[in-house]
Amino acid sequence: MAETAHTGAQIEVSNAMFLAGRGAVIVGHVRAGTVRIGQLSAPLALGGEAARRLEVSVIERLSSMDGRAQAVGIAFRNAPELSELKRCLPAGSMLLLEDPAAEAA
């Protein structure tokens, strides 16, 4: 788990929402590492599909009203339906992101 902090990021999920032009977006706080475009999520079981990784396509830095760690909004390429994202990543869960290079190694 410590390796993820060096090669990716850990995001504590606060919410998932739909934004026009972005699709389903995860909002949360960075707990470790750095979020970057192109990172891949840990495999997620979405709907009736086999588990798949989501690729980060957009990162929006947000101001954190509660003074916690850096808040971010994260959108994904080929994002799943909002209901599936909320089911897989409910508030309080951790979204683990890895760099593609770490995946290949």
Side-chain angles (χ1 to χ4, degrees):
M1 189 109 138
E3 184 177 326
T4 302
H6 296 287
T7 63
Q10 295 176 2
I11 311 302
E12 182 179 353
V13 176
S14 298
N15 198 0
M17 63 185 72
F18 183 85
L19 295 177
R22 297 278 192 232
V25 174
I26 289 290
V27 177
H29 292 87
V30 178
R31 293 294 177 219
T34 303
V35 182
R36 290 184 291 283
I37 292 173
Q39 287 176 321
L40 302 173
S41 71
L44 300 171
L46 300 162
E49 304 175 18
R52 69 177 171 117
R53 293 177 179 269
L54 301 177
E55 182 182 349
V56 175
S57 64
V58 176
I59 305 159
E60 295 287 339
R61 306 287 178 205
L62 308 171
S63 60
S64 180
M65 300 295 283
D66 61 7
R68 294 169 28 176
Q70 173 68 54
V72 293
I74 302 170
F76 303 97
R77 288 192 208 310
N78 302 315
E81 295 291 323
L82 178 59
S83 60
E84 285 300 314
L85 203 56
K86 283 186 171 188
R87 186 186 60 75
C88 286
L89 294 167
S93 64
M94 294 298 280
L95 170 62
L96 302 178
L97 299 173
E98 301 171 348
D99 289 329
E103 168 72 8

